[in-house]
Amino acid sequence: MALLLLLLAPAVRCTSSPKRGLVYVPSTKHPADDKIWLTPPSDLTWYYNYQSTPSPVFVDTQLQFVPQLWGVPSGISDTFFLDSVKSQINAGANITYVLGFNEPDASTGGGSGISTDLAAQTWNREIAPLRGLGVKLGAPAVTGAPSGLTWLRDFFTACNCTADFIPVHWYGNFEGLASHIGEVRAAYPNQTIWVTEYALAHENLQDTQKFYNQSSEYFDRIDYITHYSYFGSFRSDVSNVGGNAAMLTQDGKLTDIGSWYLGRDATGNVPKGGAGKKDGFGGWGAVVVAVVAGIGALGMV
Ligand SMILES: *[C@@H]1O[C@H](CO)[C@@H](O)[C@H](O)[C@H]1NC(C)=O
Ligand SMILES: *[C@@H]1O[C@H](CO)[C@@H](O)[C@H](O)[C@H]1NC(C)=O
Ligand SMILES: *[C@@H]1O[C@H](CO)[C@@H](O)[C@H](O)[C@H]1NC(C)=O
Ligand SMILES: *[C@@H]1O[C@H](CO)[C@@H](O)[C@H](O)[C@H]1NC(C)=O
């Protein structure tokens, strides 16, 4: 009996980690859900919103903002992102990281669909100069599809540049996630890794929770994974990664996963619903990102 309890002990311990951040997906229908992410106790230390400027609700809170240049601006000499981040720093904001393009290797489902050449030019103009201000640069966040790492390799060739960390997106099982991260690590051994979108999408609750547990234990244990942000922070009935992956129920209450992610105990709140599973879902991020051009699509449901 004692041995059995000992064996079970690690599995039932609620885990806590400063690596956790929020992928902020605003809900125009339920704006009051925002306060869930600001209510203590919470493990969240940082957030991003796919945009260059902070979300008003998180200004002057404990969450550190990480700006992202989601896609390429239309003008070839545009420096909006660069200027925006510089002016935030000049105004006293603690910006120590930025994120490159969102899923540039995908043109659907939230991907920014950019050629590696255009991405390289844009990176060198809008992002690379920030390093001179002490900002760490996150590589473009490609999908977990095999084409993602090909895109990234071609991008680095085209820009003749380096990133300080490599963001990873993953929608699939734990074995696939661990193997993908191994592949990224082999290709970029000198950079740390951020897992900026991940979930087991469209599966039953038990498997989804098991995946969540295994992945957080893994991320917390591996030193070179310094940040991670679960997808995602929305209600189950509008989730495009399946209702069971959501951190909130259809009624806006924390699910077990949502509560565990904040470093708390299970709530027992069972999520229901989920926005339709997309045809051709391949187990990776190409079709699942909810945000188009920086506007929360989930919020418009
Ligand atoms: C700024 O953020 C970094 C983490 O990214 C943290 O280590 C540092 O203490 C923060 N600085 C201030 C002045 O808050
Ligand atoms: C790439 O950048 C390095 C400096 O970082 C420079 O020495 C080299 O000439 C560049 N190569 C090309 C092809 O621009
Ligand atoms: C990693 O860094 C080491 C030491 O700076 C360097 O020799 C090596 O070429 C780098 N590897 C890659 C793949 O950039
Ligand atoms: C996940 O971990 C929690 C404790 O953090 C535990 O209560 C739960 O049983 C675990 N679920 C699965 C499916 O592993």
Side-chain angles (χ1 to χ4, degrees), residues 27-301:
S27 166
T28 49
K29 205 167 158 192
H30 302 288
D33 288 355
D34 287 350
K35 71 177 182 306
I36 294 169
W37 316 118
L38 290 169
T39 304
S42 168
D43 272 15
L44 301 176
T45 57
W46 64 279
Y47 78 102
Y48 78 102
N49 58 10
Y50 302 95
Q51 299 180 49
S52 58
T53 52
S55 302
V57 65
F58 298 125
V59 171
D60 293 327
T61 68
Q62 76 279 14
L63 297 189
Q64 187 183 20
F65 178 56
V66 179
Q68 179 172 44
L69 180 55
W70 182 86
V72 292
S74 48
I76 55 157
S77 56
D78 177 287
T79 55
F80 178 81
F81 181 78
L82 177 64
D83 298 341
S84 169
V85 174
K86 275 185 179 167
S87 73
Q88 291 173 62
I89 292 172
N90 289 340
N94 186 22
I95 293 183
T96 49
Y97 307 103
V98 293
L99 293 166
F101 316 108
N102 187 66
E103 303 197 344
D105 57 312
S107 306
T108 56
S112 54
I114 316 170
S115 74
T116 51
D117 283 344
L118 183 57
Q121 283 170 31
T122 309
W123 172 283
N124 285 333
R125 189 179 70 242
E126 297 254 36
I127 296 181
L130 290 169
R131 190 177 267 149
L133 301 177
V135 177
K136 301 264 188 248
L137 312 182
V142 295
T143 69
S147 57
L149 290 183
T150 307
W151 189 100
L152 200 56
R153 187 197 59 206
D154 294 347
F155 165 79
F156 279 121
T157 304
C159 71
N160 188 28
C161 65
T162 55
D164 297 300
F165 60 95
I166 311 287
V168 164
H169 286 185
W170 185 258
Y171 295 97
N173 66 26
F174 178 72
E175 290 70 24
L177 168 70
S179 148
H180 182 63
I181 288 178
E183 206 180 336
V184 172
R185 182 68 180 169
Y188 304 100
N190 290 342
Q191 279 98 340
T192 54
I193 291 176
W194 290 31
V195 185
T196 50
E197 278 189 23
Y198 73 101
L200 178 64
H202 303 293
E203 295 295 345
N204 68 50
L205 188 59
Q206 176 162 8
D207 289 350
T208 307
Q209 293 189 342
K210 188 174 167 209
F211 167 88
Y212 170 79
N213 283 358
Q214 287 177 305
S215 53
S216 36
E217 185 279 328
Y218 171 67
F219 298 158
D220 291 342
R221 180 164 42 84
I222 304 290
D223 286 346
Y224 60 76
I225 299 175
T226 60
H227 294 68
Y228 61 93
S229 49
Y230 183 74
F231 197 86
S233 64
F234 34 76
R235 295 189 180 204
S236 58
D237 57 334
V238 295
S239 170
N240 64 348
V241 288
N244 291 328
M247 288 169 70
L248 301 176
T249 66
Q250 64 287 353
D251 300 322
K253 298 199 170 70
L254 284 168
T255 61
D256 288 349
I257 288 179
S259 191
W260 290 331
Y261 192 69
L262 300 183
R264 305 181 204 165
D265 293 332
T267 59
N269 296 326
V270 176
K272 294 206 173 48
K277 180 172 174 171
K278 304 228 169 114
D279 288 342
F281 184 78
W284 51 61
V287 296
V288 278
V289 182
V291 176
V292 177
I295 295 165
L298 287 171
M300 300 187 294
V301 172

